[in-house]
Amino acid sequence: MSRSLNYAWYYKPLEWLLIGFSLLPLPVLYAVARGLYGLMAYGIRYRERVVLENMRNSFPEKTDAEIRQLAKGFYWHFAQVIVEILKLRTISATELRRRVTFTNPAVLGRFFPEGKQVLTLGSHAGNWEWILSAAALEYPGKAGGVYKPLMNPFFEQFMLRLRSRLGAHLVPMLSTLRDLVAHRGQGRTLSLLSDQAAGPEDHPYWTDFLHQDTPFYTGADKLAAQLQCAAVYVGIRRVRRGHYAITFTELHDGQTILPPVEHQLTEAFARQLERDIQASPSDYLWSHRRWKHKR
């Protein structure tokens, strides 16, 4: 979904600056990322208290020295992701295909000839922004993603263009159900970032996740049960700098009965994500206040 938004004229120089940075080759942008890493890790110490607290609670078996080493790894990962997301504004389809590979694309693709809609459950691991654009290239006309609109008109427009320019279909969060109903029987996927912190007003599903009592949104369970959607977990692994491998794991075939009150999809998602984070701890978004709510 593309929206026309008007923003103040004085944002134009910023737009030109961001596009100019995006046009730089990735090796140059990674040099910029080194500077961002130093600034976040040693200068302003970006959300250091949140990062360290999240990691200590998630890995109680690790020493303080090990936690701080993981934190440094996170800041370097996050700095790379920032410049990679910016690069998405101008990256070519050929280059993105070379940098993002799908290890088992048939797991997702098999649903499309049946006209089945698929909820792809992702997280803030690896480079979550590259996944949707890469999927739009792998499955032309089939890839959509839910997003939360930004309040600032300039950044909303900039991010919409960045995310959709390679063919992804974008759906505002509050329009998710309406969009799924409108596209029933068309065989497509809709991506949900399912690891965000659900509040009490969201009536979350609580489960043990990384040694902590954790609330999860339950939208995937409700939508899959109501609309007979299939569900697939999206795992992403950094192969090397600037290169990622995406692996799909089927969670629900869209055929069998799925009682939404049992939260089978959400529980399965939590277990898959937990394993991936434990395998590569620094590649997760630890600066987010994931555990700010209590039961």
Side-chain angles (χ1 to χ4, degrees):
M1 177 177 291
S2 179
R3 298 196 286 139
S4 178
L5 296 171
N6 295 319
Y7 51 86
W9 62 268
Y10 48 77
Y11 280 106
K12 269 297 179 184
L14 176 59
E15 181 180 18
W16 298 333
L17 178 65
L18 293 175
I19 293 175
F21 266 108
S22 181
L23 288 168
L24 294 173
L26 270 170
V28 176
L29 288 174
Y30 286 128
V32 174
R34 280 290 179 190
L36 286 175
Y37 162 71
L39 178 65
M40 289 190 294
Y42 301 102
I44 63 174
R45 298 183 182 273
Y46 175 69
R47 294 195 174 185
E48 182 183 57
R49 183 185 62 79
V50 174
V51 171
L52 293 177
E53 181 181 355
N54 284 344
M55 286 186 162
R56 285 171 180 141
N57 292 337
S58 299
F59 305 103
E61 75 283 0
K62 295 188 181 297
T63 66
D64 190 65
E66 290 172 325
I67 292 295
R68 290 187 176 277
Q69 192 63 34
L70 285 180
K72 289 180 181 178
F74 158 71
Y75 284 119
W76 173 226
H77 156 73
F78 191 35
Q80 293 176 80
V81 169
I82 290 172
V83 299
E84 288 170 357
I85 291 174
L86 183 59
K87 184 64 179 176
L88 196 56
R89 182 64 176 78
T90 59
I91 196 170
S92 69
T94 299
E95 185 171 9
L96 189 63
R97 282 195 185 100
R98 185 172 64 84
R99 291 180 173 276
V100 180
T101 58
F102 294 84
T103 65
N104 55 351
V107 170
L108 183 59
R110 78 175 185 87
F111 293 106
F112 299 147
E114 306 170 5
K116 182 70 66 176
Q117 292 193 98
V118 188
L119 302 175
T120 50
L121 309 185
S123 69
H124 291 86
N127 187 327
W128 57 92
E129 291 287 355
W130 275 17
I131 297 176
L132 181 59
S133 291
L137 297 175
E138 182 72 17
Y139 311 100
K142 302 294 185 183
V146 174
Y147 77 101
K148 184 176 181 179
L150 302 174
M151 295 297 294
N152 183 289
F154 167 72
F155 287 107
E156 169 72 351
Q157 185 76 286
F158 187 85
M159 291 303 295
L160 277 173
R161 289 176 177 171
L162 180 149
R163 289 165 168 161
S164 64
R165 58 177 290 271
L166 294 178
H169 172 68
L170 297 179
V171 181
M173 185 169 58
L174 295 180
S175 300
T176 303
L177 178 58
R178 185 184 309 119
D179 185 82
L180 285 169
V181 171
H183 293 88
R184 290 190 80 170
Q186 296 184 16
R188 59 196 286 276
T189 178
L190 192 62
S191 175
L192 307 173
L193 287 180
S194 302
D195 64 326
Q196 303 186 63
E201 68 280 3
D202 301 305
H203 305 289
Y205 168 67
W206 290 85
T207 188
D208 184 77
F209 177 71
L210 293 172
H211 303 284
Q212 297 164 84
D213 200 19
T214 308
F216 283 87
Y217 283 104
T218 60
D221 289 286
K222 296 173 183 175
L223 292 170
Q226 184 176 353
L227 301 175
Q228 291 79 52
C229 298
V232 170
Y233 171 79
V234 182
I236 182 169
R237 176 176 59 89
R238 178 184 280 112
V239 179
R240 61 184 188 278
R241 190 180 70 179
H243 292 263
Y244 298 90
I246 295 172
T247 301
F248 298 122
T249 302
E250 182 180 317
L251 303 180
H252 179 56
D253 61 7
Q255 302 291 339
T256 55
I257 295 176
L258 187 70
V261 294
E262 295 182 8
H263 307 298
Q264 295 175 13
L265 291 185
T266 303
E267 178 64 26
F269 168 80
R271 300 286 72 81
Q272 290 282 349
L273 178 58
E274 186 174 58
R275 284 191 286 270
D276 283 354
I277 293 174
Q278 290 169 339
S280 189
S282 291
D283 290 349
Y284 189 61
L285 188 62
W286 294 104
S287 56
H288 177 55
R289 293 185 62 213
R290 181 65 182 86
W291 291 276
K292 61 185 176 181
H293 301 298
K294 302 301 178 184
R295 192 193 291 258

